[in-house]
Amino acid sequence: ENTGLQSQLPPEEQNYGATAAHVGESPFVSGSRNGPAKRNYLIAAVLCYANLINFMDWFIVPGILLDIQKYFQLSDGDTGLLQTVFILCYMLAAPIFGYLGDRYNRKIILGAGIFFWSGVTLCSSFIGISYYWIFFLSRGLVGIGTASYSTIAPTIIADLFEEGKRTTMLSVFYIFIPVGSGLGYVLAAGMAEVTGDWHWAFRITPCMGGLALVLLILLVPHRTQRRTALHRALSISGTIRVAAEKPGVQRTDKTTWCQDVVSLAKNWSFVWSSLGLAAMAFVTGALGVWVPLFLYRAQVVQAIVSPCHEESCNSSNSLIFGGITIGTGILGVVVGAEVARRLRKINNKVDPLICATSMFVSSLCLYIALMVAQMNILSTFIFIAFGELFLSVNWAVVTDILLYVVTPGRQSTALALQILVSHLLGDAGSPYLIGIISNAIQAKNAHSFQWNFWSMQYSFIVCAFVGVFGGGFFLLTSFYIEEDRKEAQQ
């Protein structure tokens, strides 16, 4: 269906990847005027389903962290390192897939990634107690496979829909981050409770990944055209013929990866928002790994539950926290996207201002949750829920900021670099940092359930302060966003 425009474009513009934008009085114009085709929504649905599985895999380990810690006899520091290995491999692989995604067929890259991470997850369920280092290695390999998906899928959705629909569809896509994360907790805890063996938690998502791979092969076109800066110019000019004859419309030559990186480093909206996202990742990474264990220790101190000496420990905290993550995630993403959509008509800087405000409020809620944990578990759950709610407000908004301050030909690279920076400075280190701080506090005090709780509580306070820094980074973004957006549109 793209032959009309492709015949008028130079070879450099005929990229392969997601479905092209529809503009002009060709099929592109029809798509632009009548809304995205049903096929585009179907492709987006497949991508959302795969994103769900992606984040379920991320949070299976935190959902049964106490069981894994007891099984492999890990300290808090070693337990935190387990998630750090996953994130490090994920972020180091992201720029590679970003480079490939901007230049090669994205469907093939996505399919290979889904197959790889599903297979490794399944194999990790058979690792014995004496081979904990293989378990660490398997989580790193899953991170590599996951990177292929997270760097490319959002750019495909951006290509499928015009700007008005794009924010909405990205919101739907990013809803599956908290939903998948929460379901990861629920799946892991549920399977451990039903079977009495936590290994079964790693045998469900590979089956779901196989279905996602089949849907990707059957429903996503093998070769479709990427939306480029020229296509967006055509949508503004009205017709292919007029745009092609208009002297002001020029094609942009391909740039090297190094040139792309240099350009992005000069884009201050991209830089500051990426640092803000890093602060978000730091907080969510630490919370995602340690909250169920923190709540368990608080309950032991309050004598609500007995210390776990069994092979399979009580997983009710993971189930509750998973439910909170799902509910607050859906509500936060929807509210954030809708508030941003409405307020953009009033203030062009509203996106980073929303992100800054939500980070400040979230940090306050998390600090209160930590302070009341030893006195009232219900209040702790409530304030954790509010903290997660305000964090979730930012997911779709931050990505939308990237997509309109970065030119289309650099978006996969920009997403990959943002993933690298945000995880390097964020959740690649935060679970491990919380763990080693907790270890250090325990080492200086007598071993007791009380100090086990206090060590985790004091370690968690770091997250509240990092969240405040994140709000400051988003405020800095607001100073540059209008200028960078105009430059990207040009």
Side-chain angles (χ1 to χ4, degrees), residues 53-69:
I53 307 165
N54 183 12
F55 280 89
M56 287 177 67
D57 256 356
W58 275 47
F59 288 92
I60 286 177
V61 168
I64 48 175
L65 193 64
L66 184 57
D67 292 304
I68 294 175
Q69 187 178 43

PDB file of all heavy atoms in Angstrom, residues 53-69:
ATOM      1  N   ILE A  53       4.060  -9.362  29.049  1.00  0.00           N
ATOM      2  CA  ILE A  53       4.924 -10.492  29.384  1.00  0.00           C
ATOM      3  C   ILE A  53       6.327 -10.015  29.745  1.00  0.00           C
ATOM      4  O   ILE A  53       6.962 -10.544  30.675  1.00  0.00           O
ATOM      5  CB  ILE A  53       5.006 -11.474  28.192  1.00  0.00           C
ATOM      6  CG1 ILE A  53       3.614 -11.879  27.748  1.00  0.00           C
ATOM      7  CG2 ILE A  53       5.810 -12.708  28.552  1.00  0.00           C
ATOM      8  CD1 ILE A  53       3.590 -12.537  26.399  1.00  0.00           C
ATOM      9  N   ASN A  54       6.788  -9.008  29.019  1.00  0.00           N
ATOM     10  CA  ASN A  54       8.104  -8.433  29.267  1.00  0.00           C
ATOM     11  C   ASN A  54       8.257  -8.056  30.734  1.00  0.00           C
ATOM     12  O   ASN A  54       9.222  -8.445  31.405  1.00  0.00           O
ATOM     13  CB  ASN A  54       8.257  -7.204  28.357  1.00  0.00           C
ATOM     14  CG  ASN A  54       9.608  -6.552  28.464  1.00  0.00           C
ATOM     15  OD1 ASN A  54      10.535  -7.096  29.044  1.00  0.00           O
ATOM     16  ND2 ASN A  54       9.729  -5.363  27.904  1.00  0.00           N
ATOM     17  N   PHE A  55       7.292  -7.308  31.262  1.00  0.00           N
ATOM     18  CA  PHE A  55       7.417  -6.829  32.637  1.00  0.00           C
ATOM     19  C   PHE A  55       6.987  -7.861  33.667  1.00  0.00           C
ATOM     20  O   PHE A  55       7.396  -7.769  34.834  1.00  0.00           O
ATOM     21  CB  PHE A  55       6.662  -5.507  32.800  1.00  0.00           C
ATOM     22  CG  PHE A  55       7.460  -4.348  32.277  1.00  0.00           C
ATOM     23  CD1 PHE A  55       7.359  -3.959  30.946  1.00  0.00           C
ATOM     24  CD2 PHE A  55       8.351  -3.699  33.092  1.00  0.00           C
ATOM     25  CE1 PHE A  55       8.119  -2.913  30.457  1.00  0.00           C
ATOM     26  CE2 PHE A  55       9.125  -2.658  32.617  1.00  0.00           C
ATOM     27  CZ  PHE A  55       9.017  -2.258  31.296  1.00  0.00           C
ATOM     28  N   MET A  56       6.212  -8.845  33.267  1.00  0.00           N
ATOM     29  CA  MET A  56       5.979  -9.971  34.170  1.00  0.00           C
ATOM     30  C   MET A  56       7.294 -10.695  34.451  1.00  0.00           C
ATOM     31  O   MET A  56       7.590 -11.068  35.585  1.00  0.00           O
ATOM     32  CB  MET A  56       4.951 -10.927  33.568  1.00  0.00           C
ATOM     33  CG  MET A  56       3.528 -10.409  33.597  1.00  0.00           C
ATOM     34  SD  MET A  56       2.350 -11.530  32.810  1.00  0.00           S
ATOM     35  CE  MET A  56       2.379 -12.916  33.937  1.00  0.00           C
ATOM     36  N   ASP A  57       8.101 -10.882  33.406  1.00  0.00           N
ATOM     37  CA  ASP A  57       9.410 -11.519  33.579  1.00  0.00           C
ATOM     38  C   ASP A  57      10.326 -10.711  34.493  1.00  0.00           C
ATOM     39  O   ASP A  57      11.116 -11.273  35.259  1.00  0.00           O
ATOM     40  CB  ASP A  57      10.078 -11.704  32.218  1.00  0.00           C
ATOM     41  CG  ASP A  57      10.014 -13.146  31.739  1.00  0.00           C
ATOM     42  OD1 ASP A  57       9.515 -13.989  32.496  1.00  0.00           O
ATOM     43  OD2 ASP A  57      10.466 -13.419  30.626  1.00  0.00           O
ATOM     44  N   TRP A  58      10.229  -9.373  34.393  1.00  0.00           N
ATOM     45  CA  TRP A  58      11.060  -8.504  35.225  1.00  0.00           C
ATOM     46  C   TRP A  58      10.829  -8.768  36.707  1.00  0.00           C
ATOM     47  O   TRP A  58      11.768  -8.752  37.498  1.00  0.00           O
ATOM     48  CB  TRP A  58      10.723  -7.038  34.937  1.00  0.00           C
ATOM     49  CG  TRP A  58      11.436  -6.434  33.791  1.00  0.00           C
ATOM     50  CD1 TRP A  58      11.596  -6.967  32.552  1.00  0.00           C
ATOM     51  CD2 TRP A  58      12.060  -5.154  33.748  1.00  0.00           C
ATOM     52  NE1 TRP A  58      12.272  -6.101  31.742  1.00  0.00           N
ATOM     53  CE2 TRP A  58      12.565  -4.977  32.446  1.00  0.00           C
ATOM     54  CE3 TRP A  58      12.216  -4.135  34.661  1.00  0.00           C
ATOM     55  CZ2 TRP A  58      13.236  -3.836  32.052  1.00  0.00           C
ATOM     56  CZ3 TRP A  58      12.876  -2.981  34.267  1.00  0.00           C
ATOM     57  CH2 TRP A  58      13.390  -2.845  32.986  1.00  0.00           C
ATOM     58  N   PHE A  59       9.563  -8.974  37.079  1.00  0.00           N
ATOM     59  CA  PHE A  59       9.220  -8.944  38.500  1.00  0.00           C
ATOM     60  C   PHE A  59       8.801 -10.292  39.060  1.00  0.00           C
ATOM     61  O   PHE A  59       8.192 -10.352  40.123  1.00  0.00           O
ATOM     62  CB  PHE A  59       8.139  -7.885  38.737  1.00  0.00           C
ATOM     63  CG  PHE A  59       8.674  -6.487  38.606  1.00  0.00           C
ATOM     64  CD1 PHE A  59       8.627  -5.821  37.390  1.00  0.00           C
ATOM     65  CD2 PHE A  59       9.273  -5.870  39.683  1.00  0.00           C
ATOM     66  CE1 PHE A  59       9.144  -4.546  37.261  1.00  0.00           C
ATOM     67  CE2 PHE A  59       9.798  -4.595  39.569  1.00  0.00           C
ATOM     68  CZ  PHE A  59       9.738  -3.925  38.356  1.00  0.00           C
ATOM     69  N   ILE A  60       9.133 -11.357  38.360  1.00  0.00           N
ATOM     70  CA  ILE A  60       8.936 -12.687  38.945  1.00  0.00           C
ATOM     71  C   ILE A  60       9.876 -12.876  40.130  1.00  0.00           C
ATOM     72  O   ILE A  60       9.475 -13.370  41.194  1.00  0.00           O
ATOM     73  CB  ILE A  60       9.162 -13.782  37.886  1.00  0.00           C
ATOM     74  CG1 ILE A  60       7.982 -13.824  36.911  1.00  0.00           C
ATOM     75  CG2 ILE A  60       9.326 -15.141  38.546  1.00  0.00           C
ATOM     76  CD1 ILE A  60       8.152 -14.819  35.792  1.00  0.00           C
ATOM     77  N   VAL A  61      11.131 -12.496  39.968  1.00  0.00           N
ATOM     78  CA  VAL A  61      12.111 -12.671  41.045  1.00  0.00           C
ATOM     79  C   VAL A  61      11.725 -11.889  42.307  1.00  0.00           C
ATOM     80  O   VAL A  61      11.713 -12.454  43.403  1.00  0.00           O
ATOM     81  CB  VAL A  61      13.527 -12.288  40.562  1.00  0.00           C
ATOM     82  CG1 VAL A  61      14.488 -12.178  41.740  1.00  0.00           C
ATOM     83  CG2 VAL A  61      14.042 -13.330  39.579  1.00  0.00           C
ATOM     84  N   PRO A  62      11.394 -10.570  42.217  1.00  0.00           N
ATOM     85  CA  PRO A  62      10.968  -9.876  43.439  1.00  0.00           C
ATOM     86  C   PRO A  62       9.735 -10.487  44.089  1.00  0.00           C
ATOM     87  O   PRO A  62       9.581 -10.406  45.312  1.00  0.00           O
ATOM     88  CB  PRO A  62      10.680  -8.444  42.948  1.00  0.00           C
ATOM     89  CG  PRO A  62      11.535  -8.287  41.736  1.00  0.00           C
ATOM     90  CD  PRO A  62      11.529  -9.633  41.081  1.00  0.00           C
ATOM     91  N   GLY A  63       8.852 -11.103  43.294  1.00  0.00           N
ATOM     92  CA  GLY A  63       7.643 -11.690  43.845  1.00  0.00           C
ATOM     93  C   GLY A  63       7.898 -12.874  44.759  1.00  0.00           C
ATOM     94  O   GLY A  63       7.079 -13.190  45.626  1.00  0.00           O
ATOM     95  N   ILE A  64       9.027 -13.557  44.552  1.00  0.00           N
ATOM     96  CA  ILE A  64       9.385 -14.714  45.392  1.00  0.00           C
ATOM     97  C   ILE A  64      10.793 -14.525  45.959  1.00  0.00           C
ATOM     98  O   ILE A  64      11.542 -15.476  46.137  1.00  0.00           O
ATOM     99  CB  ILE A  64       9.298 -16.032  44.583  1.00  0.00           C
ATOM    100  CG1 ILE A  64      10.021 -15.891  43.234  1.00  0.00           C
ATOM    101  CG2 ILE A  64       7.848 -16.453  44.384  1.00  0.00           C
ATOM    102  CD1 ILE A  64      10.075 -17.170  42.430  1.00  0.00           C
ATOM    103  N   LEU A  65      11.127 -13.268  46.260  1.00  0.00           N
ATOM    104  CA  LEU A  65      12.490 -12.942  46.668  1.00  0.00           C
ATOM    105  C   LEU A  65      12.890 -13.661  47.952  1.00  0.00           C
ATOM    106  O   LEU A  65      14.021 -14.146  48.077  1.00  0.00           O
ATOM    107  CB  LEU A  65      12.631 -11.421  46.851  1.00  0.00           C
ATOM    108  CG  LEU A  65      14.061 -10.899  46.972  1.00  0.00           C
ATOM    109  CD1 LEU A  65      14.830 -11.152  45.691  1.00  0.00           C
ATOM    110  CD2 LEU A  65      14.063  -9.413  47.300  1.00  0.00           C
ATOM    111  N   LEU A  66      11.977 -13.740  48.898  1.00  0.00           N
ATOM    112  CA  LEU A  66      12.300 -14.401  50.160  1.00  0.00           C
ATOM    113  C   LEU A  66      12.604 -15.875  49.945  1.00  0.00           C
ATOM    114  O   LEU A  66      13.542 -16.425  50.538  1.00  0.00           O
ATOM    115  CB  LEU A  66      11.133 -14.233  51.141  1.00  0.00           C
ATOM    116  CG  LEU A  66      11.341 -14.785  52.556  1.00  0.00           C
ATOM    117  CD1 LEU A  66      12.575 -14.169  53.198  1.00  0.00           C
ATOM    118  CD2 LEU A  66      10.108 -14.532  53.410  1.00  0.00           C
ATOM    119  N   ASP A  67      11.836 -16.530  49.060  1.00  0.00           N
ATOM    120  CA  ASP A  67      12.095 -17.943  48.756  1.00  0.00           C
ATOM    121  C   ASP A  67      13.458 -18.133  48.090  1.00  0.00           C
ATOM    122  O   ASP A  67      14.207 -19.058  48.423  1.00  0.00           O
ATOM    123  CB  ASP A  67      10.998 -18.478  47.827  1.00  0.00           C
ATOM    124  CG  ASP A  67       9.651 -18.546  48.519  1.00  0.00           C
ATOM    125  OD1 ASP A  67       9.564 -19.194  49.559  1.00  0.00           O
ATOM    126  OD2 ASP A  67       8.695 -17.944  48.008  1.00  0.00           O
ATOM    127  N   ILE A  68      13.765 -17.269  47.123  1.00  0.00           N
ATOM    128  CA  ILE A  68      15.048 -17.371  46.419  1.00  0.00           C
ATOM    129  C   ILE A  68      16.206 -17.093  47.368  1.00  0.00           C
ATOM    130  O   ILE A  68      17.244 -17.775  47.329  1.00  0.00           O
ATOM    131  CB  ILE A  68      15.074 -16.399  45.219  1.00  0.00           C
ATOM    132  CG1 ILE A  68      14.047 -16.843  44.168  1.00  0.00           C
ATOM    133  CG2 ILE A  68      16.459 -16.314  44.601  1.00  0.00           C
ATOM    134  CD1 ILE A  68      13.896 -15.885  43.004  1.00  0.00           C
ATOM    135  N   GLN A  69      16.025 -16.097  48.227  1.00  0.00           N
ATOM    136  CA  GLN A  69      17.070 -15.755  49.185  1.00  0.00           C
ATOM    137  C   GLN A  69      17.361 -16.931  50.116  1.00  0.00           C
ATOM    138  O   GLN A  69      18.521 -17.239  50.404  1.00  0.00           O
ATOM    139  CB  GLN A  69      16.658 -14.523  49.989  1.00  0.00           C
ATOM    140  CG  GLN A  69      17.750 -13.974  50.893  1.00  0.00           C
ATOM    141  CD  GLN A  69      17.311 -12.729  51.636  1.00  0.00           C
ATOM    142  OE1 GLN A  69      16.196 -12.651  52.139  1.00  0.00           O
ATOM    143  NE2 GLN A  69      18.181 -11.740  51.701  1.00  0.00           N
TER     144      GLN A  69
END
